[in-house]
Amino acid sequence: MSERVTIKSIAKDLGISHMTVSRALSNHPNVMKATRDAVKQRARELGYVKNAAASAMRGDETQIIGLLLPNIVNEFYAQFANTMALACEAKSLQLVIHLTGDNIANEEKALERLHQIQVQRVVMVPTPGKSEKSVLHLRDTSVIQLIRQRDIGRPTPTILVDDSPAIRDAVAHLAAQGHQRIAYIGADKELTSGRSRLAAFREGLKRTELTEIPELICTGGPSKEMGQTHARRILNEKRATAMVCGGFEISNGALGALMETGLQPSENLSFIGYGDPSFYTWVGRGISTVAVPVEPLAYKAVDLLTGRADPASDHIHRFVASLIVR
Amino acid sequence: MSERVTIKSIAKDLGISHMTVSRALSNHPNVMKATRDAVKQRARELGYVKNAAASAMRGDETQIIGLLLPNIVNEFYAQFANTMALACEAKSLQLVIHLTGDNIANEEKALERLHQIQVQRVVMVPTPGKSEKSVLHLRDTSVIQLIRQRDIGRPTPTILVDDSPAIRDAVAHLAAQGHQRIAYIGADKELTSGRSRLAAFREGLKRTELTEIPELICTGGPSKEMGQTHARRILNEKRATAMVCGGFEISNGALGALMETGLQPSENLSFIGYGDPSFYTWVGRGISTVAVPVEPLAYKAVDLLTGRADPASDHIHRFVASLIVR
DNA sequence: TTGAAAGCGCTAACAA
DNA sequence: TTGTTAGCGCTTTCAA
């Protein structure tokens, strides 16, 4: 295994001081052209790369971006991560991805490890719950919150989805079709997003003068499983004729439950999903959904990340979701 | 913004030497229990975390794993990345993800940046082409190759899919249905996987005594777009009655082209995809496909990564794909 | 134009 | 049991 190539090893190789090598490689003006060329040439031959740890120790920016997501299988998160990763490639940033599974302990561990490597900025979907530790680890990091908002002890820019109109539209659409028993599956009150989506659903019922049916309103920790479980129950009980989902994971879980009945989404139960993975257009006659504009969200995150917007502000950037009826 | 907490700052705070702090925090035996407790207590209060850069500079392992994938939107890669990320959480490893888009220049850049941060191990889907630079950057890193195999100047463990039987089965299945004009869209000869899948397709034709139709065999750089373009053309020309895909991206691209015709996959053209994203069961009457066991692949990668298997061997780990007819 | 010294945070080795 | 020194790779500051 070859020895690590450092400015010192190059200096020794060339019989000059390591400072000259350093200056040559960083294009400092005070180096003779001949020297600089020789150094660069030799560095290339030996396969020199600057040691990031040494730079970090000196206090240089680490060029590391942390991304915390519940998972990257859900197409929304996958798309978001994909776009961010491509942007990071373009800006020569390292993207470190941690999956939280929406569990706060995982979030804390992930943030601790990012703290260790002196991460520059963090984009995160905060998990349900509160965490002192997370706040502590984020003390010296600039943070962008996504989808949900949690208090981390100081203002942070936040990228939210304004889905209330679309959710109300969803209810209105179903009501117009004659549905009276509309189920809702969404995140619970732990989450800002859970609260606002449920409120929008209720508002939708109110506006269409439908009565709220408590046993058809299911909330809980947002997960695919949770969506699946509740959807199965609702399908079994046959008390609902339509269903609205309030969450990316929940939507796919519920859709899975619906599909396993072997019937088309619209025959058994009018289904309105959340998020718009590519395949929603291909399933059955197409899955109606509350579509969230993932690319704009991701570009905004990149914008905030790369300082075209002020990362220190507590501005909330809202992106409007829209109901797609298929 | 608070000052960084270091062993020295804790030492000063406590009026002892930084070495005692270091020893206390790393549970070195030669520290009085009282001292150790006091140090740990204070460290917790101040929110101390060990500086990874300093550790790395001393030559400690960086606990960083690099993952190079074409993208993470395709559900196969997303699943793989998800599983690896979870495994990395469990082992307290940092997962740095780089997307190559199957472009060799991107791969080189990604590997250079991983080299800079002294990445421990790399799991990669090698891009088409050859690269001196990649070889150089991987000189001191242990590498696991995935899906495809490229010469990087020394043996590496490799995780491959043995899809030849399934692809032959696919042709046999279509032939048994009476198809005589079967198209194939797959990666080109740049890739080990491209070569072997095409060979399997041809062998399938031979075994069923079908004639190879050159204009129905499409190869090229593997991408969603490529799959879509070729599938569109084939659908337009109406020369084929069936289609077999040889690649994850290609399969989704081709499926997209098929779906945009507005007809069910089996009505227009018998379609056999590659990889088995969850939604293939939900589209039309279900999409037949060459299913690749993604979880076992990912677990094997983790196994190799965490040393339960020998990462220095050049062993090829093959996972058998199977034809799923829906 | 080049070089020597110092220091970022950490721990092995040696000293007390 | 605790402390001092040195050095990992790099660049800033000062000296030649």
Side-chain angles (χ1 to χ4, degrees):
Chain A
M1 196 76 16
S2 51
E3 286 303 299
R4 176 161 254 291
V5 181
T6 68
I7 51 170
K8 280 191 187 167
S9 75
I10 296 175
K12 195 183 292 180
D13 181 285
L14 258 46
I16 57 180
S17 106
H18 72 278
M19 265 319 297
T20 306
V21 176
S22 171
R23 280 194 270 257
L25 292 176
S26 49
N27 291 315
H28 189 94
N30 284 350
V31 185
M32 275 208 319
K33 190 173 181 325
T35 317
R36 172 162 48 237
D37 290 349
V39 168
K40 286 196 169 179
Q41 167 67 21
R42 198 81 191 98
R44 215 175 309 117
E45 286 167 10
L46 296 170
Y48 169 82
V49 293
K50 181 149 83 174
N51 185 322
S55 293
M57 273 241 316
R58 299 196 71 265
D60 295 353
E61 304 212 326
T62 53
Q63 312 291 29
I64 295 175
I65 305 293
L67 178 60
L68 268 68
L69 296 174
N71 66 71
I72 43 173
V73 173
N74 184 293
E75 198 172 310
F76 174 80
Y77 297 123
Q79 269 287 357
F80 187 90
N82 203 87
T83 302
M84 281 228 356
L86 291 177
C88 287
E89 303 292 342
K91 311 251 177 227
S92 286
L93 298 166
Q94 304 265 7
L95 185 66
V96 178
I97 296 186
H98 284 278
L99 304 184
T100 62
D102 267 335
N103 173 325
I104 198 148
N106 294 343
E107 176 187 292
E108 288 171 349
K109 273 191 65 183
L111 290 176
E112 176 177 354
R113 301 223 293 288
L114 290 171
H115 187 179
Q116 286 175 355
I117 59 173
Q118 301 173 80
V119 69
Q120 215 85 71
R121 297 174 203 281
V122 167
V123 177
M124 64 187 288
V125 177
T127 63
K130 287 167 201 257
S131 168
E132 287 294 322
K133 279 192 194 168
S134 290
V135 171
L136 206 57
H137 289 306
L138 290 171
R139 215 170 33 179
D140 299 324
T141 305
S142 102
V143 181
I144 296 165
Q145 297 196 61
L146 184 67
I147 301 294
R148 311 163 186 160
Q149 189 172 34
R150 194 169 71 203
D151 177 18
I152 67 154
R154 66 194 152 89
T156 63
T158 303
I159 300 173
L160 296 181
V161 177
D162 181 12
D163 46 19
S164 297
I167 290 173
R168 291 194 305 260
D169 287 354
V171 177
H173 168 74
L174 293 170
Q177 288 188 322
H179 291 283
Q180 306 223 331
R181 306 186 61 86
I182 306 174
Y184 174 81
I185 311 181
D188 56 25
K189 289 163 195 166
E190 283 274 12
L191 300 171
T192 50
S193 56
R195 285 196 292 276
S196 88
R197 290 174 199 158
L198 178 56
F201 177 75
R202 287 191 161 132
E203 177 64 21
L205 290 181
K206 199 174 287 175
R207 291 194 190 177
T208 50
E209 292 174 1
L210 287 176
T211 329
E212 196 176 310
I213 305 165
E215 63 268 34
L216 292 184
I217 295 193
C218 318
T219 62
S223 73
K224 198 166 170 179
E225 264 217 321
M226 178 273 196
Q228 192 172 40
T229 309
H230 284 291
R232 271 189 193 141
R233 187 176 51 71
I234 287 165
L235 284 162
N236 270 337
E237 295 175 355
K238 296 184 201 288
R239 299 277 215 55
T241 62
M243 177 188 295
V244 174
C245 294
F248 300 107
E249 287 296 283
I250 289 167
S251 179
N252 281 349
L255 184 59
L258 185 54
M259 294 309 290
E260 71 190 6
T261 63
L263 296 173
Q264 293 302 324
S266 27
E267 293 177 24
N268 247 25
L269 175 120
S270 282
F271 182 87
I272 299 199
Y274 192 94
D276 196 21
S278 55
F279 64 89
Y280 276 18
T281 59
W282 299 342
V283 174
R285 276 165 278 168
I287 302 291
S288 297
T289 197
V290 172
V292 176
V294 52
E295 292 288 316
L297 278 163
Y299 287 133
K300 173 54 75 179
V302 171
D303 251 27
L304 290 168
L305 225 46
T306 53
R308 253 180 286 179
D310 176 15
S313 90
D314 60 343
H315 197 276
I316 296 182
H317 305 269
R318 287 184 194 277
F319 289 81
V320 178
S322 53
L323 178 68
I324 297 186
V325 176
R326 291 191 175 113
Chain B
M1 194 77 13
S2 50
E3 285 303 299
R4 176 163 256 291
V5 182
T6 68
I7 50 170
K8 280 191 187 167
S9 74
I10 295 175
K12 195 183 293 180
D13 182 284
L14 258 46
I16 57 180
S17 105
H18 72 279
M19 265 318 294
T20 304
V21 176
S22 169
R23 280 193 269 254
L25 292 175
S26 51
N27 290 316
H28 189 96
N30 286 350
V31 185
M32 273 209 318
K33 190 174 181 324
T35 317
R36 173 164 46 237
D37 291 347
V39 169
K40 286 195 170 178
Q41 168 67 19
R42 199 81 190 98
R44 217 174 307 116
E45 286 167 12
L46 297 170
Y48 169 82
V49 293
K50 181 148 85 174
N51 185 321
S55 293
M57 272 240 318
R58 300 196 71 265
D60 295 353
E61 304 212 325
T62 52
Q63 312 291 30
I64 294 175
I65 306 293
L67 177 60
L68 268 70
L69 296 174
N71 67 71
I72 43 173
V73 174
N74 184 292
E75 199 173 309
F76 174 82
Y77 296 123
Q79 269 288 356
F80 187 90
N82 203 87
T83 302
M84 280 226 359
L86 291 178
C88 287
E89 303 292 343
K91 312 252 177 225
S92 287
L93 298 166
Q94 305 264 10
L95 186 65
V96 179
I97 295 187
H98 283 279
L99 304 184
T100 62
D102 269 335
N103 173 325
I104 199 148
N106 294 342
E107 177 187 292
E108 287 170 349
K109 272 191 66 183
L111 290 176
E112 176 176 355
R113 300 222 296 286
L114 290 172
H115 187 181
Q116 284 175 355
I117 57 172
Q118 301 173 81
V119 70
Q120 215 83 73
R121 297 174 204 282
V122 167
V123 178
M124 63 187 288
V125 177
T127 63
K130 289 167 201 256
S131 167
E132 287 293 323
K133 279 191 195 170
S134 290
V135 171
L136 207 55
H137 289 306
L138 290 171
R139 213 170 34 176
D140 300 323
T141 305
S142 104
V143 180
I144 297 165
Q145 297 196 58
L146 184 67
I147 301 294
R148 313 163 183 158
Q149 190 172 35
R150 194 169 72 202
D151 179 15
I152 66 152
R154 68 194 150 89
T156 64
T158 302
I159 300 173
L160 296 181
V161 177
D162 181 12
D163 48 19
S164 297
I167 291 173
R168 291 194 306 259
D169 287 354
V171 177
H173 168 75
L174 294 170
Q177 289 188 320
H179 290 284
Q180 306 225 331
R181 305 186 63 87
I182 306 174
Y184 174 81
I185 310 180
D188 57 24
K189 288 164 195 166
E190 284 273 10
L191 299 172
T192 51
S193 57
R195 286 197 292 276
S196 88
R197 290 173 197 158
L198 178 56
F201 176 75
R202 287 191 161 133
E203 177 63 22
L205 290 180
K206 198 174 286 174
R207 290 195 190 176
T208 50
E209 292 175 1
L210 287 176
T211 328
E212 196 175 311
I213 305 164
E215 63 270 33
L216 293 185
I217 294 192
C218 318
T219 62
S223 73
K224 198 166 170 178
E225 264 216 322
M226 178 271 196
Q228 192 172 41
T229 309
H230 284 291
R232 270 188 193 142
R233 187 176 50 71
I234 287 165
L235 284 162
N236 271 337
E237 294 176 354
K238 297 185 203 280
R239 299 279 215 55
T241 60
M243 178 188 295
V244 174
C245 294
F248 298 106
E249 287 296 283
I250 288 167
S251 179
N252 282 350
L255 183 60
L258 185 51
M259 295 308 293
E260 72 189 6
T261 63
L263 295 173
Q264 294 303 323
S266 25
E267 292 176 23
N268 245 25
L269 174 123
S270 284
F271 181 86
I272 299 199
Y274 192 94
D276 195 20
S278 55
F279 63 89
Y280 275 18
T281 59
W282 299 341
V283 174
R285 276 165 278 168
I287 302 292
S288 299
T289 197
V290 172
V292 176
V294 53
E295 292 289 314
L297 279 162
Y299 288 133
K300 173 57 76 180
V302 172
D303 252 27
L304 290 167
L305 224 46
T306 53
R308 252 179 287 179
D310 175 18
S313 91
D314 61 342
H315 195 277
I316 296 183
H317 306 269
R318 287 185 193 277
F319 289 80
V320 179
S322 53
L323 178 68
I324 296 186
V325 176
R326 294 194 172 108

